[in-house]
Amino acid sequence: MITKKIPKILFGADYFPEQWTEEVWQDDIRLMKKANVNLVSIAIFSWALLQRDENTYTFEWLDKIMDLLAENDIYVCLATSSAAQPVWMTKKYDDILPVLESGLKLNIGSRQTYCPNSPSYLKFSRLLTEKFALRYKDHKALALWHINNEYAQKTKACFCSTCETKFIKWCREKYQTIENLNKAWGTELWGEYYFDWEDINAPKTSSGPRNSSKLMDYKRFISESFLRCYLNEYDVIKKITPDIPVTTNFEGDFKNFDHSSFKDYLDVVSWNCYPNPSDPYAQWRVALRHAMMRGLKKKPFMLMEQAPSQVDWYPVNVAKRPGVMRLFSYHAIAHGSDSVMFFQWRAQKKGVEKYHSGMVPHYGDESRVFKEIMELGKELEKIKEIIGSDNNAKAAILMDNDSWWAIETPYGSGVRSFDNSVFWANFTQPFPSICIGYFAEIEYYFNSLYNLNVACDIVFFNSDLTDYKIIIAPMLHVIKPNYKEKLENYVNNGGILILTYFSGVLNEDSTVFLGGYPGPLKDLMGIKIEEFDPLMPDDKNYIVIKEKKDLKLRQEYSCTLWAEVVHAVTAKEIAVYKNDFYADLPCITENKFGKGKAYYISTRPDESFMNDFFKSLCNEACLLQPFSTPDKVEVFLRIKRGKEYYFILNFNDMSLEFEFFKENFIDLLSGKLFSGKIKIDKKDVLVLVKN
Ligand code: GLA
Ligand code: ZN
């Protein structure tokens, strides 16, 4: 249970009472009760209204609203306000505003505009957090702490002089001597050799490509800076209120910091989920990010924000169609969320976000959106018993921030989707192909398992891997010293590992492993890779299956994006390439290692291969459900003390049927009985338990 104070699905929103009169507060309470809201996040961006100068704190208005909420049995996820410091503070202390990669110092005017290393910011945010914790530690309404808001979302990194000085210190601690640093960064070329620690700068924009080892270290340094910035508040809170759970809201696939470094300092992981309602792939893209939040602690997480209808930051912001908000709310729960929270409670009438939807739209409580919210709030009562239940995923995708950073190096470079429809490439660093992307590869593999209704966690190298039957490590480009042992142990003990192309190329200093990729994983994979060959966007090669064994595969599949010249050492060739100078050389291999096996996929296979291959593997590992669902109908399981809850979600615009288990089931939402065939309406949800 996330908080003992609320033994049900947490339901509510970011709430900004400071924007409204006290008369409206009364109406808010009335409507919150109508909608069954049990939790609101407040004070997220309220710092200025809580501290008017260095010594004057003005918490009285917050006391009032805290009391009002408590009187009405609505709990509070209390934010520490540190995501937007007051203007007076920024003006007075020159070290607060961040500096971009280009050297441009940002101006006052927006939010999350602070340097994570700024001594003034850190000092004042810690002081404020302490005031918060001391003032509200025994308050009835306080259920949860919400530190900051979306670290690194607006200010992705900072290159100011404070950061520069701290980076130099960080380098000194890491490398001890300047010779070690020069060696690790390979500074012999382009006049970069450092004779003095003080000559090192933050890697700001230059005339062209910059040292990639240094960029990598800077990313690590910035990632640690955000964690320190979080801990600066976390430590204070934990000292004063050790029993109140703490979270900070993530954004899912942000690569500006390593999420896994936060996991031990979060009582519950939470995130903000904003799919584009017009994205036909939204459901599995969202499922992936849920899987990452769930995988971080292997525990239920919180959906901290989603839009009741449209957002205001896609190029075109379509409204969520009737039923869609409900569908995505259950989708989150199905994938392990114990909350359904929104941005925001009341749609704003002024300010930056006035076109963003709210649970209470501009039209008021007679609106379609509010009615849907009200119905959902009531309906969630019916499934409150599921909180704390597990998704029991036995497959995982292993993510690694270093590999992500190495492959998508330049700051600001963005999404490259798996079908290459979205390019936002940045040409400032030399790289073999702009057609490949790290996260795109993660998405591609996740999607294959998702289509088979196989639960898959996203995990990291500091996760416990032992319980997983299948682990996929897409594009594990960087191999740190402990990775080899961790993966070898996993396979040795019976695990099935799938490693994909462009893996095992760099060590942690971004130095290439000589003598064949995948470097230290050569023994585990039983192969040696001589060279790689990125394919042009429209080019194809073919995978010709050699050794089928138990794998139920067709004779031939196509592949794109990338090929490699692979030599099998101890591994068996599962498939070879059909064309080009590496025709008949291995394309996919399998290596027995201890009690397990390790597959290597040296290219990007087409979707039919992915489906056949993972169907076979998941079948072998007993991860397949004995039924299959129509496209865009998802079945996902939560289990609590042996009791199984099947979430069935239909993302289509028509009702559909499929064969389910023969036994009798009851839908907790509608009370309807099912056995054998399931018919599910468009955009509908069933939560089935055995009857
Ligand atoms: C983010 C922020 C919120 C709000 C929403 C709007 O997730 O955390 O404060 O701005 O976006 O979609
Ligand atoms: Zn800075």
Side-chain angles (χ1 to χ4, degrees), residues 615-658:
K615 215 174 189 169
S616 285
L617 280 193
C618 291
N619 190 30
E620 184 188 328
C622 303
L623 301 185
L624 283 187
Q625 297 288 0
F627 52 82
S628 57
T629 53
D631 194 27
K632 291 193 173 186
V633 172
E634 182 188 318
V635 178
F636 215 78
L637 190 61
R638 285 190 71 164
I639 304 177
K640 190 170 178 179
R641 291 185 217 105
K643 185 167 175 187
E644 297 179 329
Y645 300 82
Y646 285 90
F647 283 77
I648 303 181
L649 303 114
N650 183 3
F651 287 89
N652 295 285
D653 278 320
M654 55 184 173
S655 71
L656 284 163
E657 285 185 356
F658 65 98

Coordinates of all heavy atoms in Angstrom, one line a residue, residues 615-658:
K615 N 7.4 -15.7 -29.6 CA 6.4 -16.6 -29.3 C 7.0 -17.9 -28.9 O 6.7 -18.5 -27.9 CB 5.5 -16.8 -30.5 CG 4.1 -17.0 -30.2 CD 3.3 -17.1 -31.5 CE 1.8 -17.1 -31.2 NZ 1.0 -16.9 -32.4
S616 N 8.0 -18.4 -29.7 CA 8.7 -19.6 -29.4 C 9.4 -19.5 -28.0 O 9.3 -20.4 -27.2 CB 9.8 -19.9 -30.4 OG 9.2 -20.4 -31.6
L617 N 10.2 -18.5 -27.8 CA 11.0 -18.4 -26.6 C 10.0 -18.3 -25.4 O 10.3 -18.9 -24.4 CB 11.8 -17.1 -26.6 CG 13.2 -17.2 -27.4 CD1 14.0 -16.0 -27.0 CD2 13.9 -18.4 -27.1
C618 N 9.0 -17.5 -25.5 CA 8.1 -17.3 -24.4 C 7.3 -18.6 -24.1 O 7.0 -18.9 -23.0 CB 7.1 -16.1 -24.6 SG 7.9 -14.6 -24.6
N619 N 7.0 -19.3 -25.1 CA 6.4 -20.6 -25.0 C 7.3 -21.5 -24.2 O 6.9 -22.1 -23.2 CB 6.1 -21.2 -26.4 CG 5.2 -22.4 -26.3 OD1 4.4 -22.4 -25.4 ND2 5.3 -23.3 -27.2
E620 N 8.5 -21.6 -24.6 CA 9.5 -22.4 -23.9 C 9.7 -22.0 -22.4 O 9.8 -22.9 -21.6 CB 10.9 -22.2 -24.6 CG 12.0 -23.1 -24.1 CD 13.3 -22.7 -24.8 OE1 13.3 -22.3 -25.9 OE2 14.4 -22.8 -24.1
A621 N 9.6 -20.7 -22.2 CA 9.8 -20.3 -20.8 C 8.4 -20.2 -20.0 O 8.3 -19.7 -18.9 CB 10.4 -18.9 -20.8
C622 N 7.4 -20.8 -20.7 CA 6.0 -20.8 -20.1 C 5.5 -19.4 -19.7 O 4.9 -19.2 -18.7 CB 6.0 -21.7 -18.8 SG 6.5 -23.3 -19.1
L623 N 5.7 -18.5 -20.6 CA 5.2 -17.1 -20.3 C 4.0 -16.7 -21.2 O 3.5 -15.7 -21.1 CB 6.3 -16.1 -20.6 CG 7.6 -16.3 -19.8 CD1 8.6 -15.1 -20.1 CD2 7.3 -16.3 -18.3
L624 N 3.6 -17.7 -22.0 CA 2.5 -17.3 -22.9 C 1.1 -17.7 -22.3 O 1.0 -18.7 -21.6 CB 2.6 -18.1 -24.2 CG 3.5 -17.6 -25.3 CD1 3.3 -18.4 -26.6 CD2 3.4 -16.1 -25.6
Q625 N 0.1 -16.8 -22.5 CA -1.2 -17.2 -22.0 C -1.8 -18.2 -23.1 O -1.4 -18.1 -24.2 CB -2.1 -15.9 -22.0 CG -1.7 -14.8 -21.1 CD -2.0 -15.2 -19.6 OE1 -2.5 -16.3 -19.3 NE2 -1.6 -14.3 -18.7
P626 N -2.7 -19.0 -22.6 CA -3.2 -20.1 -23.6 C -4.3 -19.5 -24.5 O -5.1 -20.2 -25.0 CB -3.8 -21.1 -22.6 CG -4.1 -20.4 -21.4 CD -3.2 -19.2 -21.3
F627 N -4.3 -18.2 -24.7 CA -5.3 -17.6 -25.6 C -4.6 -16.5 -26.3 O -3.6 -16.0 -25.8 CB -6.6 -17.1 -24.9 CG -6.2 -16.2 -23.7 CD1 -6.0 -14.9 -24.0 CD2 -6.2 -16.7 -22.4 CE1 -5.7 -14.0 -22.9 CE2 -5.8 -15.8 -21.4 CZ -5.6 -14.5 -21.6
S628 N -5.2 -16.1 -27.5 CA -4.6 -14.9 -28.1 C -5.7 -13.9 -28.3 O -6.8 -14.2 -28.5 CB -3.9 -15.3 -29.4 OG -4.8 -15.9 -30.3
T629 N -5.3 -12.6 -28.3 CA -6.3 -11.6 -28.4 C -6.2 -10.9 -29.7 O -5.1 -10.8 -30.4 CB -6.0 -10.6 -27.3 OG1 -4.6 -10.1 -27.4 CG2 -6.2 -11.1 -25.9
P630 N -7.3 -10.3 -30.2 CA -7.2 -9.5 -31.4 C -6.3 -8.3 -31.2 O -6.0 -7.9 -30.1 CB -8.7 -9.0 -31.6 CG -9.5 -9.7 -30.6 CD -8.6 -10.2 -29.5
D631 N -5.8 -7.7 -32.3 CA -5.0 -6.6 -32.3 C -5.5 -5.5 -31.4 O -6.8 -5.2 -31.5 CB -4.8 -6.1 -33.8 CG -3.7 -5.1 -33.9 OD1 -2.7 -5.2 -33.1 OD2 -3.7 -4.2 -34.8
K632 N -4.7 -4.9 -30.7 CA -5.1 -3.7 -29.8 C -6.1 -4.1 -28.7 O -6.9 -3.3 -28.2 CB -5.6 -2.6 -30.6 CG -4.6 -1.9 -31.4 CD -5.1 -0.6 -31.9 CE -4.1 0.3 -32.6 NZ -4.6 1.6 -32.9
V633 N -6.2 -5.4 -28.4 CA -6.9 -5.8 -27.2 C -5.8 -6.4 -26.3 O -5.1 -7.3 -26.7 CB -8.0 -6.9 -27.5 CG1 -8.6 -7.5 -26.2 CG2 -9.1 -6.3 -28.4
E634 N -5.8 -5.9 -25.1 CA -4.7 -6.2 -24.2 C -5.2 -7.0 -23.0 O -6.2 -6.6 -22.5 CB -4.0 -4.9 -23.8 CG -2.9 -5.0 -22.9 CD -2.4 -3.7 -22.4 OE1 -2.4 -2.7 -23.2 OE2 -2.1 -3.6 -21.2
V635 N -4.5 -8.0 -22.6 CA -4.8 -8.7 -21.4 C -3.6 -8.6 -20.5 O -2.5 -9.0 -20.8 CB -5.2 -10.2 -21.6 CG1 -5.5 -10.9 -20.3 CG2 -6.4 -10.3 -22.5
F636 N -3.8 -8.1 -19.3 CA -2.7 -7.9 -18.4 C -3.1 -8.3 -17.0 O -4.2 -8.1 -16.6 CB -2.2 -6.5 -18.4 CG -0.7 -6.4 -18.3 CD1 0.1 -6.6 -19.3 CD2 -0.2 -6.0 -17.0 CE1 1.5 -6.5 -19.2 CE2 1.2 -5.9 -16.9 CZ 2.0 -6.2 -17.9
L637 N -2.2 -9.0 -16.3 CA -2.6 -9.6 -15.0 C -2.0 -8.9 -13.8 O -0.9 -8.5 -13.8 CB -2.0 -11.0 -15.1 CG -2.3 -12.1 -14.1 CD1 -3.8 -12.4 -14.2 CD2 -1.6 -13.4 -14.4
R638 N -2.8 -8.8 -12.8 CA -2.2 -8.4 -11.5 C -2.6 -9.5 -10.5 O -3.7 -10.1 -10.6 CB -2.8 -7.1 -11.0 CG -2.1 -5.9 -11.8 CD -2.4 -4.6 -11.2 NE -1.8 -4.3 -9.9 CZ -1.6 -3.1 -9.3 NH1 -2.1 -2.1 -9.9 NH2 -1.1 -3.0 -8.2
I639 N -1.7 -9.8 -9.6 CA -1.9 -11.0 -8.7 C -1.7 -10.5 -7.3 O -0.7 -9.9 -7.0 CB -0.9 -12.1 -9.0 CG1 -1.0 -12.5 -10.5 CG2 -1.1 -13.3 -8.1 CD1 0.0 -13.6 -10.9
K640 N -2.6 -10.9 -6.4 CA -2.5 -10.6 -5.0 C -2.8 -11.9 -4.2 O -3.9 -12.4 -4.3 CB -3.4 -9.5 -4.6 CG -3.2 -8.9 -3.3 CD -4.0 -7.6 -3.1 CE -3.8 -7.0 -1.7 NZ -4.6 -5.8 -1.6
R641 N -1.8 -12.3 -3.4 CA -1.9 -13.5 -2.6 C -2.6 -14.6 -3.4 O -3.6 -15.2 -3.0 CB -2.7 -13.2 -1.3 CG -2.0 -12.4 -0.4 CD -2.7 -12.2 0.9 NE -2.5 -10.8 1.4 CZ -3.4 -9.9 1.4 NH1 -4.6 -10.1 0.9 NH2 -3.1 -8.7 1.9
G642 N -2.1 -14.9 -4.6 CA -2.6 -16.0 -5.4 C -3.9 -15.6 -6.2 O -4.2 -16.3 -7.1
K643 N -4.6 -14.6 -5.9 CA -5.8 -14.2 -6.6 C -5.4 -13.4 -7.9 O -4.7 -12.5 -7.8 CB -6.7 -13.4 -5.7 CG -8.1 -13.1 -6.3 CD -9.0 -12.6 -5.3 CE -10.3 -12.2 -5.9 NZ -11.2 -11.5 -5.0
E644 N -6.0 -13.9 -9.0 CA -5.6 -13.3 -10.3 C -6.7 -12.3 -10.8 O -7.9 -12.6 -10.8 CB -5.4 -14.4 -11.3 CG -4.2 -15.3 -10.9 CD -4.0 -16.4 -11.9 OE1 -5.0 -16.8 -12.6 OE2 -2.9 -16.8 -12.1
Y645 N -6.2 -11.1 -11.2 CA -7.1 -10.1 -11.7 C -6.7 -9.9 -13.2 O -5.6 -9.4 -13.4 CB -7.0 -8.8 -11.0 CG -7.3 -8.9 -9.5 CD1 -6.4 -9.4 -8.6 CD2 -8.6 -8.6 -9.0 CE1 -6.7 -9.5 -7.2 CE2 -8.9 -8.7 -7.7 CZ -8.0 -9.1 -6.8 OH -8.3 -9.2 -5.5
Y646 N -7.6 -10.3 -14.1 CA -7.3 -10.1 -15.5 C -7.8 -8.8 -16.0 O -9.1 -8.6 -16.0 CB -7.8 -11.2 -16.4 CG -7.0 -12.5 -16.2 CD1 -7.4 -13.5 -15.3 CD2 -6.0 -12.8 -17.1 CE1 -6.6 -14.6 -15.1 CE2 -5.2 -13.9 -17.0 CZ -5.6 -14.9 -16.0 OH -4.8 -16.0 -15.9
F647 N -7.0 -7.9 -16.4 CA -7.4 -6.6 -16.9 C -7.5 -6.8 -18.5 O -6.5 -7.1 -19.1 CB -6.5 -5.5 -16.6 CG -6.6 -5.0 -15.2 CD1 -6.0 -5.7 -14.2 CD2 -7.2 -3.8 -15.0 CE1 -6.2 -5.2 -12.9 CE2 -7.4 -3.3 -13.7 CZ -6.8 -4.0 -12.6
I648 N -8.7 -6.6 -19.0 CA -8.9 -6.7 -20.5 C -9.2 -5.4 -21.0 O -10.2 -4.8 -20.6 CB -9.9 -7.8 -20.8 CG1 -9.5 -9.1 -20.1 CG2 -10.1 -8.0 -22.3 CD1 -10.4 -10.3 -20.3
L649 N -8.4 -4.9 -21.9 CA -8.7 -3.5 -22.4 C -8.8 -3.5 -24.0 O -7.9 -4.1 -24.6 CB -7.5 -2.6 -22.0 CG -7.2 -2.6 -20.5 CD1 -5.9 -3.2 -20.2 CD2 -7.2 -1.1 -20.0
N650 N -9.8 -2.9 -24.4 CA -10.0 -2.9 -25.9 C -9.7 -1.4 -26.4 O -10.5 -0.5 -26.2 CB -11.5 -3.3 -26.2 CG -11.7 -3.3 -27.7 OD1 -10.8 -3.1 -28.5 ND2 -12.9 -3.6 -28.2
F651 N -8.6 -1.3 -27.1 CA -8.2 0.0 -27.6 C -8.9 0.3 -29.0 O -8.6 1.4 -29.5 CB -6.7 0.2 -27.7 CG -6.1 0.3 -26.3 CD1 -5.7 -0.8 -25.6 CD2 -5.9 1.5 -25.7 CE1 -5.1 -0.7 -24.3 CE2 -5.4 1.7 -24.5 CZ -5.0 0.5 -23.8
N652 N -9.6 -0.6 -29.5 CA -10.2 -0.4 -30.8 C -11.5 0.4 -30.8 O -12.1 0.6 -29.7 CB -10.5 -1.8 -31.4 CG -9.3 -2.6 -31.7 OD1 -8.5 -2.3 -32.6 ND2 -9.0 -3.5 -30.8
D653 N -11.9 0.8 -31.9 CA -13.2 1.6 -32.0 C -14.3 0.7 -32.4 O -15.3 1.1 -32.9 CB -13.0 2.7 -33.1 CG -12.4 3.9 -32.4 OD1 -12.7 4.2 -31.2 OD2 -11.5 4.5 -33.1
M654 N -14.2 -0.6 -32.1 CA -15.3 -1.5 -32.4 C -15.3 -2.6 -31.3 O -14.2 -2.8 -30.7 CB -15.2 -2.1 -33.7 CG -13.9 -2.8 -34.0 SD -13.8 -3.4 -35.6 CE -12.2 -4.0 -35.8
S655 N -16.4 -3.2 -31.1 CA -16.4 -4.3 -30.1 C -15.8 -5.6 -30.7 O -15.9 -5.8 -31.9 CB -17.8 -4.5 -29.5 OG -18.5 -5.1 -30.5
L656 N -15.2 -6.4 -29.9 CA -14.4 -7.6 -30.4 C -14.7 -8.8 -29.5 O -15.0 -8.6 -28.3 CB -12.9 -7.3 -30.5 CG -12.5 -6.4 -31.7 CD1 -11.2 -5.8 -31.5 CD2 -12.6 -7.1 -33.0
E657 N -14.4 -9.9 -30.1 CA -14.5 -11.2 -29.3 C -13.3 -12.0 -29.4 O -12.5 -11.9 -30.4 CB -15.6 -12.0 -30.0 CG -17.0 -11.5 -29.7 CD -18.1 -12.5 -30.3 OE1 -17.7 -13.5 -30.9 OE2 -19.2 -12.3 -30.0
F658 N -13.0 -12.7 -28.4 CA -11.9 -13.7 -28.4 C -12.2 -14.8 -27.4 O -12.9 -14.6 -26.5 CB -10.5 -13.1 -28.2 CG -10.3 -12.5 -26.9 CD1 -9.6 -13.2 -25.9 CD2 -10.8 -11.2 -26.6 CE1 -9.4 -12.6 -24.6 CE2 -10.6 -10.6 -25.3 CZ -9.9 -11.3 -24.4

